[in-house]
Amino acid sequence: MNSNIESLYQIAQKPTRTIIGLMSGTSLDGLDVALCEISASGEETEVKLIEFETVDYSEDIKLEIRSVFAKQTIDFQKLVLLNEWIGILHANMILECLNKWQIDADKIDLIASHGQTVFHAPKILHQQEKFPNATLQIGDGDHIAVKTGIITVSDFRQKHVAAGGEGAPLAVYGDYFLFSKKGENRIMLNMGGISNFTYLPTSSNPEEVFVTDTGTGNTLIDAFTKLHFPNKSFDQDAEIAKTGSVNAALLESLKSHDFFTKSFPKTTGPELFNIDYVKKAQAQSNTTNISISDLLATLTRFSAETIAEAIHFVINTSIYDPQTFTIYMSGGGAHNPLLVQWLKELLPCTFAKTDDLGISGDAKEALLFAILANETVSGGKSNFGKLKGIPSVSMGKISFPY
């Protein structure tokens, strides 16, 4: 037997696996590194978060990624080079974290790498009949495995697409395994660059679980904050937006895109929701001269209303009293007081954070990819039926270090 296969077999048999989960989202802020201890699998999964760190991206790293990020026309050589470069970069960041935590690499069983999404192209967006759903994440897993000496599971989204999904949101699997609870209707709302949520019904029946993207989360707010305030990467505590007023004409124009009329579940990304999207809406609504504070207030309201309308779809189609739903928030948007205030006004639900369930909202996405890697080697038995957008598959490609 190949020694790598033997090592993987032994890892799969362990009662508890030590897994590093990695996540770098569309905000391009940095790499989330979550060191987890995971036992069992599927609905029996138990997780302990041991360490967590966000390793910030330098401006140089952000510029390199943005040169290919969400663009239909790029330098193809740059994309190829970045695939390898980001893998090495992420490997070095892992080693730096392990050194900081004073943990030897040989104590880690697996690395679970989401990679860096550079283009998301579900059919709902590309609208080309002969082509399937597609998505691309770079940051080669082989480079991570070789550099760190740790077996690496990566490129999770491709199996999801191959099995009929759109490659997102993948949080649904970990959300169900960790947070489903009989007797409570839970909505796990993640507000990153793009917002998505998982509905976990009170029955805990996996065939009743629902997941979808809702549209923009922080991506437009962040983009225009950076555009007008180069020294700011986001509107901290909504300080700028809170001084402005929502422009009704612009808000209506922002919400007029046919993405919002398409059936759930669906996915999207900054390929649609970007600076050009907002500028077109401003031109259509004659609001190109509004103040930056009014613009940020309107973009924040845009996120709030589209999130709330998507959640209302679930509430209105369920048989349960809306007041029995609890929304557990995570992601950067959970720290935006204006966004959270408006959500509370728009939705008849109880609000909390995933921190209240024992999982840091900031670490949640990286931790969920660690769970997916755990399923790759030790699980894969859960059945979500024939739910659209939730194929019952094991995901991830395995890269050996030797």
Side-chain angles (χ1 to χ4, degrees):
M1 181 185 291
N2 183 294
S3 61
N4 287 302
I5 299 291
E6 186 174 4
S7 294
L8 187 63
Y9 178 79
Q10 291 173 354
I11 290 167
Q13 303 302 309
K14 295 174 71 171
T16 300
R17 285 160 289 281
T18 303
I19 304 176
I20 289 178
L22 306 178
M23 180 64 195
S24 177
T26 56
S27 64
L28 306 183
D29 290 336
L31 181 68
D32 292 339
V33 185
L35 176 63
C36 311
E37 288 183 353
I38 305 181
S39 58
S41 64
E43 291 87 340
E44 306 302 319
T45 299
E46 293 186 6
V47 178
K48 183 178 181 181
L49 181 64
I50 306 301
E51 299 281 359
F52 176 72
E53 183 89 12
T54 297
V55 184
D56 293 336
Y57 280 166
S58 66
E59 284 305 313
D60 175 63
I61 294 170
K62 293 178 184 179
L63 285 172
E64 294 289 5
I65 296 172
R66 286 180 184 139
S67 70
V68 300
F69 182 71
K71 295 181 178 179
Q72 291 194 353
T73 302
I74 62 167
D75 178 340
F76 196 76
Q77 176 176 273
K78 175 59 74 69
L79 177 66
V80 173
L81 295 174
L82 284 175
N83 184 42
E84 323 295 334
W85 186 69
I86 290 173
I88 297 168
L89 180 76
H90 285 182
N92 285 327
M93 290 176 171
I94 293 166
L95 293 173
E96 289 169 8
C97 285
L98 289 175
N99 182 60
K100 178 179 178 180
W101 299 332
Q102 298 184 326
I103 298 172
D104 292 335
D106 62 8
K107 302 298 183 185
I108 309 301
D109 293 312
L110 300 169
I111 292 169
S113 173
H114 169 267
Q116 178 64 61
T117 297
V118 290
F119 207 92
H120 186 60
K123 207 161 196 170
I124 192 175
L125 293 185
H126 70 65
Q127 298 183 342
Q128 299 182 58
E129 187 57 35
K130 73 175 183 179
F131 292 111
N133 294 319
T135 188
L136 181 63
Q137 289 70 42
I138 60 174
D140 180 62
D142 285 329
H143 283 72
I144 296 174
V146 170
K147 183 74 176 179
T148 62
I150 302 167
I151 296 173
T152 298
V153 187
S154 65
D155 211 17
F156 293 91
R157 296 187 183 273
Q158 294 306 322
K159 177 65 78 63
H160 193 272
V161 171
E166 293 188 3
L170 297 191
V172 57
Y173 301 93
D175 280 343
Y176 176 70
F177 297 152
L178 282 189
F179 302 120
S180 184
K181 181 184 178 183
K182 283 191 175 182
E184 183 177 348
N185 286 304
R186 290 180 169 180
I187 289 178
M188 311 307 298
L189 172 62
N190 181 64
M191 295 178 285
I194 298 298
S195 290
N196 60 72
F197 70 86
T198 302
Y199 165 53
L200 303 172
T202 185
S203 66
S204 288
N205 183 350
E207 296 190 30
E208 296 177 19
V209 172
F210 176 86
V211 65
T212 189
D213 283 350
T214 67
T216 183
N218 308 311
T219 188
L220 297 180
I221 302 167
D222 293 351
F224 279 90
T225 300
K226 293 171 189 172
L227 186 64
H228 289 268
F229 305 94
N231 294 327
K232 295 179 181 287
S233 57
F234 63 101
D235 184 15
Q236 186 168 3
D237 297 325
E239 289 178 352
I240 304 167
K242 285 191 292 188
T243 66
S245 300
V246 174
N247 185 288
L250 176 56
L251 180 60
E252 181 180 0
S253 184
L254 289 167
K255 293 176 65 178
S256 67
H257 194 279
D258 66 359
F259 170 81
F260 296 108
T261 64
K262 294 185 183 298
S263 61
F264 294 106
K266 53 192 171 184
T267 65
T268 190
E271 296 76 15
L272 172 62
F273 294 112
N274 50 39
I275 287 175
D276 285 344
Y277 180 93
V278 177
K279 288 186 174 179
K280 287 178 184 176
Q282 286 186 285
Q284 291 168 356
S285 57
N286 296 315
T287 56
T288 55
N289 294 322
I290 65 172
S291 68
I292 181 58
S293 58
D294 285 356
L295 177 58
L296 290 180
T298 306
L299 293 176
T300 304
R301 184 71 185 189
F302 177 47
S303 291
E305 289 195 6
T306 51
I307 291 168
E309 286 162 10
I311 292 175
H312 269 296
F313 167 79
V314 168
I315 292 174
N316 294 340
T317 55
S318 80
I319 62 173
Y320 305 109
D321 184 335
Q323 294 185 349
T324 67
F325 285 74
T326 301
I327 296 174
Y328 291 94
M329 300 178 292
S330 61
H335 302 297
N336 183 319
L338 186 59
L339 178 58
V340 172
Q341 174 192 325
W342 280 336
L343 285 173
K344 289 180 177 180
E345 293 172 0
L346 291 165
L347 290 162
C349 308
T350 300
F351 281 79
K353 292 186 176 182
T354 56
D355 302 63
D356 299 319
L357 298 174
I359 299 295
S360 162
D362 295 330
K364 181 190 168 198
E365 284 193 285
L367 181 147
L368 292 181
F369 278 96
I371 291 174
L372 287 183
N374 186 67
E375 287 297 301
T376 303
V377 301
S378 298
K381 304 178 186 69
S382 298
N383 187 357
F384 289 86
K386 296 183 178 180
L387 286 177
K388 183 181 178 184
I390 317 178
S392 298
V393 292
S394 294
M395 290 168 279
K397 297 179 175 71
I398 298 173
S399 295
F400 295 123
Y402 310 113

